[in-house]
Amino acid sequence: MTTDFWTEGEPVVDKAAPDGPVETRWERRKFNAKLVNPANRRKLTVIIVGTGLAGGSAAATLAEAGYQVKSYCYQDSPRRAHSIAAQGGINAAKNYRNDGDSVYRLFYDTVKGGDFRARESNVYRLAQVSVNIIDQCVAQGVPFAREYGGLLDNRSFGGTQVSRTFYARGQTGQQLLLGAYQALERQIGLGNVEMNARHEMLELIIVDGKARGIVVRDMVTGEISTEFADAVVLASGGYGNVFFLSTNAKGCNVTASWRAHRKGALFANPCYTQIHPTCIPESGSHQSKLTLMSESLRNDGRVWVPKAQKDTRRAADIPEDERDYYLERIYPSFGNLVPRDIASRAAKNVCDEGRGVGPGGLGVYLDFADAINRLGRKAVEAKYGNLFEMYERITGEDPYETPMRIYPAVHYTMGGLWVDYDLQSTIPGLFVVGEANFSDHGANRLGASALMQGLADGYFVLPNTISNYLAAGPFPKVTASDAPVVEARKQVEDRIEKFLSINGDRTVDSFHRELGQIMWEYCGMERSEEGLTKAIGLIRALKEEFWTRVKVPGKGEELNQNLEKAGRVADFIELGELMCIDALHRRESCGGHFRAESQTPDGEALRHDDEFSYAAAWEYFGADGRPTLHKEDLNFEYVHPSTRSYK
């Protein structure tokens, strides 16, 4: 199939995935995978890009196993990876509350929550491994919240009717990352991990068809260097900053993944982006990022708007019978704990009706008055105190006295580089873990599952699958004078020289902001054929303008943040075009991808399983300017696709 925007190629198949009963697939895969004996592990080197939960845990675990690990991050310390910003918790099927939870129920909830667009094999493995993660982290000293009697506490998150989320107040990501960081630092101290902070990966090195290294830039001195290994692991996170405004740290970018994509790694489901329903609303055009308010707040906070349009009264002045607790009204079974995509669209709908609150009417209330009356202020403070304090510092409003104002914002990306069951991309020797891959969440991620996937991949999955590839090593030595290495390095140097030589009249940030506005308007919470087609044209024009008008001051041989941003934004522009093409080709609504043309009479997402029950894995733009679509069919043997209802 060929269109004006894309062409269709051969299907892609996950050849590593076992068949047979889903309950035993992971155990059988581990048993059948080739092993590397301890003496040979010392002869093998693995490069890991990224030090968040996935990258940090993978580096620590592989080094503990005996491999030589080289770790790279652009932050000044591994512990400043964006995983540290995660607030609410981590899921695990421990069933400590004896409320009917199980590995199978977590598997079911995740497949359903992803709107039946994820692989059953991967999701079941994730649910299985989840129970081990908590034991691992407790052993590391992660201070999970505990009940009065000393047992680990749980709370609920969206899309579930059980309490399976373990948490450390509103700082769960920070505490989990510090656990992984301590394990990583131990291996650094033992000499098993070579840590390279303030280094950014700018190119992937492929020799004889295999990933054998990376080209990195020292962000302090500007020095370009080539680094080699027997395998490369990308743990570089998601691409939410393509929207400019998101809850991601400003440094989060797609460059490591996009460099691999340009070299042949397929990019799967790029249009699946998660809009988080509980974020502090944008306050003006001066903002460069948005702030998340944890989904855990929806355990006790009630979401509402005035029943009347353009009601400008203070929240306290609006009587109870003039309030619309719309999530509780529309979705009585799940109430305020519906999945994120549903809560976000519902908030958009009431604001579109003219019932939003705050400046511009782009906000809804998250009210804790009932919880404070029921539990007391001290109990609420014990659960959410740091989140309330953060909200007050940013907005100047006390959430103990007046409801929070929240509005959806870009938070997470379910798409990423395509990987097989072993987490290996379409480039042999290139493995992808955590948010950087596409494998586990389908079209919508349930809350508290990002931390679960990152640690599952890093601590338990990758260490058991990468050995199957490394068993054929050590591979022939690669040197800086090899032709593919010289070519990769030259590509980086030429690109930097190009940025510095344009000397235009527009800042990098101005291009990034304009791209973000296009993406949010046409590829955000609601998409349409007309809007996406327009967006593709706007992005192509923006790309042409970027390469003729961008101004990057300074030199390459120094600390130069404008140069760093230029490379990232150039990649975001190309990614933005692919996201819009992916969204255009998928003429259905599912999870975080909502097409205006495909909805039920009451405004819910309408899937078309007969046409789109596949993962869309894209090959980089060809000479004709079009990407190539490769489909991976999704088969559901256990959780059969049905209309996803939370009513």
Side-chain angles (χ1 to χ4, degrees):
M1 178 180 176
T2 301
T3 73
D4 291 341
F5 295 111
W6 74 88
T7 184
E8 188 169 328
E10 293 297 314
V12 61
V13 179
D14 178 6
K15 297 179 180 178
D19 53 13
V22 71
E23 298 86 355
T24 61
R25 287 177 188 173
W26 177 227
E27 290 302 320
R28 285 185 283 115
R29 179 59 191 144
K30 286 192 291 183
F31 179 77
N32 292 326
K34 298 173 185 175
L35 300 178
V36 181
N37 79 54
N40 286 341
R41 292 175 202 161
R42 294 191 292 270
K43 304 172 186 176
L44 295 163
T45 302
V46 179
I47 284 175
I48 300 180
V49 180
T51 56
L53 288 180
S57 59
T61 306
L62 291 175
E64 181 87 32
Y67 297 103
Q68 297 300 305
V69 176
K70 295 181 180 179
S71 183
Y72 295 85
C73 68
Y74 65 78
Q75 296 91 348
D76 56 1
S77 166
R79 68 183 177 197
R80 297 199 62 178
H82 186 58
S83 298
I84 206 165
Q87 297 170 354
I90 178 171
N91 288 329
K94 286 286 199 180
N95 195 30
Y96 283 172
R97 287 292 184 90
N98 196 28
D99 56 0
D101 200 13
S102 63
V103 167
Y104 195 91
R105 187 173 295 279
L106 175 53
F107 161 62
Y108 173 87
D109 286 345
T110 304
V111 173
K112 177 185 175 184
D115 219 352
F116 306 96
R117 291 294 177 263
R119 294 178 183 149
E120 285 190 331
S121 292
N122 290 62
V123 176
Y124 196 90
R125 176 176 65 187
L126 179 65
Q128 282 179 300
V129 169
S130 72
V131 299
N132 300 325
I133 296 171
I134 304 305
D135 298 338
Q136 167 88 1
C137 295
V138 169
Q140 289 175 332
V142 172
F144 285 121
R146 293 179 181 268
E147 296 176 330
Y148 181 77
L151 300 177
L152 294 178
D153 196 12
N154 293 115
R155 57 189 177 197
S156 298
F157 260 59
T160 70
Q161 292 179 308
V162 298
S163 295
R164 65 162 68 100
T165 305
F166 295 78
Y167 64 99
R169 215 178 180 196
Q171 305 168 344
T172 314
Q174 181 185 58
Q175 299 305 324
L176 292 172
L177 185 61
L178 289 176
Y181 169 72
Q182 289 172 128
L184 174 61
E185 284 295 311
R186 178 172 178 269
Q187 296 303 318
I188 293 171
L190 292 171
N192 298 328
V193 175
E194 175 192 304
M195 186 65 235
N196 299 277
R198 302 303 300 274
H199 282 72
E200 184 169 23
M201 172 186 161
L202 296 180
E203 195 56 82
L204 179 69
I205 296 172
I206 298 179
V207 180
D208 296 330
K210 298 182 176 68
R212 293 302 309 276
I214 58 176
V215 181
V216 295
R217 179 176 179 270
D218 185 318
M219 296 164 64
V220 177
T221 67
E223 179 185 358
I224 306 296
S225 61
T226 50
E227 308 294 336
F228 311 120
D230 295 288
V232 176
V233 178
L234 297 187
S236 47
Y239 49 89
N241 275 348
V242 69
F243 290 87
F244 186 73
L245 287 177
S246 80
T247 65
N248 290 180
K250 286 302 294 177
C252 293
N253 64 84
V254 75
T255 290
S257 293
W258 199 251
R259 297 291 102 194
H261 177 53
R262 289 176 63 106
K263 285 289 180 75
L266 298 185
F267 205 113
N269 300 335
C271 78
Y272 289 166
T273 52
Q274 180 161 89
I275 314 293
H276 198 295
T278 54
C279 302
I280 298 177
E282 181 182 353
S283 60
S285 60
H286 61 281
Q287 268 186 275
S288 61
K289 79 175 299 295
L290 298 172
T291 304
L292 172 72
M293 287 285 101
S294 170
E295 180 168 315
S296 63
L297 294 170
R298 288 197 277 145
N299 272 274
D300 292 304
R302 300 180 70 193
V303 180
W304 65 275
V305 291
K307 289 183 178 179
Q309 294 180 333
K310 302 187 186 308
D311 191 332
T312 58
R313 289 176 292 175
R314 295 185 313 125
D317 296 334
I318 301 177
E320 191 72 17
D321 61 354
E322 295 181 30
R323 301 178 178 188
D324 180 12
Y325 294 90
Y326 59 89
L327 291 178
E328 298 173 24
R329 172 175 57 82
I330 301 171
Y331 307 102
S333 292
F334 284 73
N336 295 296
L337 286 174
V338 293
R340 293 173 177 178
D341 59 321
I342 290 174
S344 291
R345 283 198 298 275
K348 179 182 184 298
N349 290 341
V350 296
C351 290
D352 289 348
E353 292 169 6
R355 297 194 288 139
V357 301
L362 293 178
V364 300
Y365 287 128
L366 183 60
D367 197 336
F368 291 87
D370 284 358
I372 292 171
N373 290 334
R374 184 178 75 253
L375 303 171
R377 174 166 172 154
K378 284 188 176 180
V380 172
E381 192 172 339
K383 286 183 175 182
Y384 311 117
N386 67 306
L387 298 171
F388 278 41
E389 180 184 355
M390 181 166 61
Y391 180 87
E392 184 173 11
R393 287 188 179 187
I394 291 172
T395 66
E397 300 171 2
D398 182 357
Y400 293 105
E401 302 296 331
T402 187
M404 289 182 177
R405 286 180 296 107
I406 57 170
Y407 192 70
V410 174
H411 176 61
Y412 186 89
T413 52
M414 284 73 69
L417 292 180
W418 185 92
V419 292
D420 63 13
Y421 190 73
D422 286 353
L423 304 183
Q424 186 170 210
S425 74
T426 47
I427 299 175
L430 178 67
F431 293 79
V432 191
V433 295
E435 191 179 354
N437 74 32
F438 90 109
S439 65
D440 291 357
H441 304 296
N444 175 66
R445 177 177 66 77
L446 292 183
S449 288
L451 307 187
M452 175 174 64
Q453 187 210 347
L455 292 181
D457 286 357
Y459 281 136
F460 299 105
V461 180
L462 181 72
N464 280 294
T465 60
I466 197 171
S467 63
N468 190 63
Y469 175 80
L470 292 174
F475 301 103
K477 186 176 181 181
V478 177
T479 67
S481 60
D482 290 348
V485 179
V486 173
E487 181 185 359
R489 182 181 181 121
K490 187 175 186 303
Q491 288 171 342
V492 171
E493 293 170 342
D494 289 350
R495 185 173 164 89
I496 290 173
E497 186 179 340
K498 175 66 174 176
F499 286 135
L500 296 170
S501 67
I502 295 172
N503 197 29
D505 58 357
R506 285 191 60 178
T507 65
V508 176
D509 277 350
S510 73
F511 282 103
H512 194 181
R513 188 181 291 274
E514 185 175 342
L515 173 66
Q517 290 168 344
I518 295 169
M519 295 300 296
W520 181 250
E521 180 69 23
Y522 301 111
C523 197
M525 277 194 281
E526 184 172 299
R527 298 126 183 220
S528 68
E529 181 175 354
E530 180 183 1
L532 291 165
T533 303
K534 181 178 180 180
I536 293 167
L538 291 172
I539 292 170
R540 288 176 174 175
L542 186 68
K543 179 180 179 180
E544 186 175 339
E545 186 177 356
F546 177 87
W547 287 104
T548 56
R549 291 186 59 189
V550 73
K551 184 175 183 64
V552 181
K555 300 181 297 183
E557 300 80 20
E558 62 182 7
L559 175 65
N560 190 335
Q561 291 186 318
N562 283 291
L563 178 60
E564 296 163 18
K565 288 191 287 187
R568 296 167 187 172
V569 172
D571 291 335
F572 276 141
I573 290 172
E574 291 190 349
L575 168 66
E577 182 180 348
L578 182 63
M579 288 173 66
C580 292
I581 291 172
D582 186 37
L584 180 65
H585 111 275
R586 190 172 283 276
R587 300 181 312 278
E588 66 164 352
S589 295
C590 57
H593 169 64
F594 189 80
R595 282 288 294 265
E597 305 93 337
S598 183
Q599 53 184 304
T600 63
D602 56 351
E604 299 290 348
L606 180 62
R607 295 194 323 270
H608 299 298
D609 295 333
D610 55 332
E611 293 183 74
F612 295 103
S613 189
Y614 60 79
W618 295 91
E619 189 178 334
Y620 184 68
F621 299 91
D624 61 358
R626 292 179 299 180
T628 301
L629 169 64
H630 301 271
K631 298 177 181 178
E632 181 200 343
D633 288 335
L634 297 173
N635 300 306
F636 296 93
E637 302 174 60
Y638 296 88
V639 185
H640 298 291
S642 59
T643 300
R644 194 172 58 133
S645 175
Y646 293 91
K647 294 182 177 182

